[in-house]
Amino acid sequence: MTIAANPLPGSPRLLLGPVLRHVGQDDATIWVETDRACVVEILGHRESTWCMAGHHYALVVLSGLPAGQSIDYDVRLDDQAVWPVAEDPRPRPRIRTLDVDAPVRIAFGSCRYARSETVADDTHYEPDALMVLARQLAGQDVASWPHALLMLGDQVYADETSEETRQRIRQRRDITTGSKEQVADYEEYTWLYAESWDDPDVRWLMSVLPSSMIFDDHDICDDWNTSRSWREDMQATDWWAERVIGGLASYWVYQHLGNLSPTDLAADELYQQVRGHGGDVEPLLRAFAEHADAEADGAKGTRWSYRRDFGPIRLLMIDSRCGRILDGQRSMIADNELDWISEQADGDYDHLLIGTSLPWLLARALHDIESWNEALADGVRGARLARWSETLRRAADLEHWAAFHSSFDSLADLIREVAQGKRGERAPATVCVLSGDVHHAYVARAIYDEPVSSQVYQLTCSPLHNYVPLVMKVAFRLAWSRLAERTARSLLSVVTRVPRTQLRWSREAGPYFGNEMMTFTAAGRIALVELARTRAEDSDSLHVVQRVALASD
């Protein structure tokens, strides 16, 4: 359903948004999609729309805002007010600029399948956590709201379409060939974003909470970039090229642009070309997407990773999907991107958050299985076992950080240096890796062989809106047991040695299942994390199931 403000006949309409993205101490960006070319005005700042494949967008950059304030705003298209809708009972959309001396709350989660209405007849699904959060916040004082929302992958499901989307696909093309009932191109990706973002509650939520996003596999295709053989098989199809172009181009438009600060946007050559193009920019973005997907000389064509600072909290969001290097020695991220990430870790801050869609620390039994499988797939026990291990890697989704062991170690090295105070005047109180993907939630505490000053955690939370079959729940619970850890290591070592790590980790909370969300809260160097979930019988409130103190001073 699209909400509009009953514009005059012939006037432009707001299709999606406003989506509040970057917010700093005195600036912000707001994204919109409109039904035609127009001028978008917010708080006196005007921006002309640009066109991609017949769709119209604008990212309005606001500057000179008062720090630490809550500022109501509306949206005007060609000088006509179109948002908020007059009869909307929810609080007005607003921007809360950062107060660097106040506590900061950051909510996060991943894996959101469409919206609750789309699967209303499927009893497997509990209420959408974003919808429930919106309803809860609408009745609370703004002072209690999170200051940011991190979406850690699978914002859309290109390979698992809803019945509503499948019907549209059948009306548009032949579903017996090509990508069949999965999305095929940019146009069909726009349907997914509309289906996901136009829920009235979620639309309001996204207009008031700044959001940072990163993709995971389902944004493009299940098991995206699992291995070189996977890429070769996909590239041999007659539909994959158009899928990845549409997926990466739409990700740039709907998700990535809003991740960038006004300073980053001003320096982004492609964005400036798009803004000043004057025509349809589809050729530009198609060429960009092809380049972004390509791998050459051990590097990828673009960098999707980025940094954000929330006062004394630094967020480094790492692309752990598109940036993978699969030719030669496999790695989760290219060396040049790892160098950039390492540079961004330098500095003084109280807390470092590292966002990556895939967990860095899994249940130890699963970690050992993935590391063991990678070693066999790399041929340490011969070609026959390598082929078998590659088949297992793809069939069982063995492709997390543990399955890219050199990258796991590189990230462990970086975190250790930060936690030892080698990247600033003193170590931060916490270093937390925030992830999703695995459809359960847990908190794990890392302990290095060498002494560190920071508390180091893996905070994993998913899904926001999906479900987990019973057999997977049982498997994940077993995987976290000490018996599974000891058994896996003993059995695996019969074939080849499981690669050693420089740290160990213990489960502090979880695993929990259901539609859920975590919130990281920091006040100075004190930090805690809270896990809340939805319930089928209550679609208006998230229910707290666990709080974990991460740092006490």
Side-chain angles (χ1 to χ4, degrees):
M1 179 179 66
T2 298
I3 299 177
N6 300 317
L8 297 173
S11 299
R13 296 173 58 246
L14 188 65
L15 297 181
L16 281 182
V19 182
L20 181 59
R21 299 303 310 272
H22 166 90
V23 171
Q25 287 183 259
D26 59 2
D27 56 12
T29 64
I30 298 177
W31 179 97
V32 298
E33 180 179 357
T34 64
D35 72 335
R36 66 194 68 183
C38 60
V39 175
V40 184
E41 181 179 347
I42 301 174
L43 293 177
H45 295 74
R46 297 169 66 85
E47 180 75 13
S48 297
T49 59
W50 42 270
C51 178
M52 166 59 187
H55 296 263
H56 302 272
Y57 310 94
L59 185 66
V60 182
V61 176
L62 309 176
S63 59
L65 303 176
Q69 299 294 315
S70 180
I71 307 142
D72 291 352
Y73 71 90
D74 59 21
V75 179
R76 295 175 177 271
L77 304 182
D78 286 349
D79 298 320
Q80 180 184 348
V82 297
W83 199 265
V85 181
E87 62 271 19
D88 193 341
R90 304 169 187 84
R92 287 181 58 82
R94 64 191 62 189
I95 302 163
R96 290 182 300 150
T97 50
L98 283 175
D99 179 351
V100 297
D101 296 321
V104 177
R105 290 176 294 279
I106 298 176
F108 63 94
S110 78
C111 307
R112 181 169 178 263
Y113 183 78
R115 60 179 187 269
S116 285
E117 180 184 321
T118 306
V119 291
D121 296 331
D122 191 334
T123 57
H124 289 103
Y125 288 83
E126 293 183 354
D128 171 16
L130 287 193
M131 178 192 73
V132 176
L133 176 65
R135 294 177 178 182
Q136 179 173 297
L137 296 187
Q140 292 181 347
D141 187 273
V142 66
S144 66
W145 293 1
H147 297 87
L149 174 64
L150 309 186
M151 308 279 279
L152 296 169
D154 293 343
Q155 273 70 263
V156 294
Y157 279 69
D159 53 340
E160 298 179 16
T161 52
S162 68
E163 178 56 32
E164 178 182 321
T165 298
R166 290 195 294 271
Q167 289 179 6
R168 296 186 70 178
I169 289 173
R170 295 184 199 114
Q171 293 170 2
R172 181 176 186 244
R173 58 178 170 82
D174 180 3
I175 63 167
T176 63
T177 62
S179 61
K180 300 183 178 179
E181 291 186 316
Q182 300 181 20
V183 300
D185 54 18
Y186 185 90
E187 175 62 26
E188 292 175 12
Y189 264 102
T190 68
W191 303 349
L192 296 186
Y193 283 104
E195 182 179 66
S196 182
W197 290 4
D198 72 353
D199 173 89
D201 293 300
V202 173
R203 191 169 184 177
W204 173 81
L205 182 76
M206 296 179 78
S207 76
V208 299
L209 290 191
S211 54
S212 300
M213 306 177 184
I214 197 68
F215 41 42
D216 199 23
D217 55 346
H218 290 287
D219 289 78
I220 304 294
C221 184
D222 188 27
D223 301 336
W224 179 30
N225 285 347
T226 295
S227 63
R228 179 179 178 180
S229 72
W230 182 92
R231 281 182 63 93
E232 290 172 345
D233 287 350
M234 298 303 289
Q235 289 168 345
T237 69
D238 61 359
W239 57 270
W240 172 248
E242 197 62 30
R243 162 73 70 80
V244 78
I245 288 171
L248 291 178
S250 62
Y251 174 78
W252 187 86
V253 171
Y254 286 83
Q255 298 191 51
H256 181 67
L257 279 181
N259 293 330
L260 305 181
S261 70
T263 300
D264 292 333
L265 289 168
D268 191 292
E269 182 178 347
L270 176 61
Y271 177 61
Q272 296 307 322
Q273 288 177 333
V274 165
R275 287 183 68 214
H277 189 274
D280 197 312
V281 302
E282 184 174 8
L284 278 178
L285 290 189
R286 287 183 65 88
F288 164 77
E290 290 177 335
H291 183 65
D293 182 53
E295 179 181 332
D297 301 322
K300 296 305 287 281
T302 193
R303 187 187 73 232
W304 300 106
S305 301
Y306 58 93
R307 166 184 155 186
R308 271 201 176 170
D309 289 335
F310 302 91
I313 300 174
R314 176 159 299 175
L315 169 68
L316 295 181
M317 193 74 86
I318 299 177
D319 160 26
S320 52
R321 277 292 174 185
C322 190
R324 295 179 178 189
I325 302 302
L326 303 172
D327 291 333
Q329 181 179 353
R330 74 180 97 212
S331 60
M332 189 70 84
I333 46 180
D335 288 343
N336 61 341
E337 186 156 345
L338 179 62
D339 291 342
W340 180 87
I341 293 167
S342 180
E343 291 172 3
Q344 304 310 306
D346 291 342
D348 294 307
Y349 39 81
D350 289 335
H351 306 276
L352 175 62
L353 305 181
I354 299 176
T356 169
S357 62
L358 300 170
W360 173 54
L361 303 179
L362 295 165
R364 189 55 194 253
L366 295 179
H367 174 96
D368 287 347
I369 290 170
E370 294 202 7
S371 295
W372 169 85
N373 172 262
E374 182 193 27
L376 292 180
D378 286 344
V380 298
R381 286 293 183 266
R384 179 177 295 180
L385 271 179
R387 289 191 297 270
W388 175 83
S389 298
E390 177 63 27
T391 300
L392 178 62
R393 180 186 182 94
R394 292 174 56 172
D397 294 348
L398 306 181
E399 37 107 28
H400 297 82
W401 284 87
F404 292 80
H405 197 76
S406 64
S407 298
F408 176 92
D409 285 343
S410 295
L411 185 56
D413 288 340
L414 174 60
I415 292 173
R416 173 177 47 78
E417 290 180 5
V418 171
Q420 289 177 331
K422 295 181 178 179
R423 297 306 188 99
E425 291 187 3
R426 64 172 179 170
T430 67
V431 180
C432 298
V433 179
L434 315 184
S435 306
D437 179 72
V438 291
H439 286 205
H440 65 289
Y442 60 90
V443 176
R445 179 169 174 258
I447 303 170
Y448 278 83
D449 294 344
E450 299 180 20
V452 298
S453 300
S454 307
Q455 301 295 319
V456 179
Y457 292 93
Q458 170 72 59
L459 308 178
T460 300
C461 183
S462 81
L464 289 165
H465 186 223
N466 215 306
Y467 75 93
V468 184
L470 178 61
V471 65
M472 290 182 63
K473 292 181 181 180
V474 173
F476 283 132
R477 289 191 187 280
L478 289 174
W480 276 108
S481 69
R482 292 190 178 276
L483 176 60
E485 178 182 338
R486 292 193 296 267
T487 302
R489 181 164 286 266
S490 298
L491 293 177
L492 298 176
S493 296
V494 171
V495 180
T496 192
R497 185 182 298 275
V498 176
R500 185 185 178 279
T501 64
Q502 59 180 286
L503 71 160
R504 62 190 188 278
W505 53 97
S506 61
R507 175 170 51 95
E508 302 290 295
Y512 293 101
F513 300 92
N515 291 338
E516 48 206 359
M517 178 177 294
M518 280 187 177
T519 302
F520 173 91
T521 301
R525 293 176 68 82
I526 299 172
L528 63 85
V529 67
E530 179 179 273
L531 174 67
R533 59 159 299 176
T534 68
R535 291 180 179 172
E537 66 275 14
D538 182 4
S539 61
D540 294 328
S541 299
L542 290 168
H543 297 265
V544 176
V545 296
Q546 182 77 57
R547 290 186 179 92
V548 178
L550 305 177
S552 57
D553 55 41

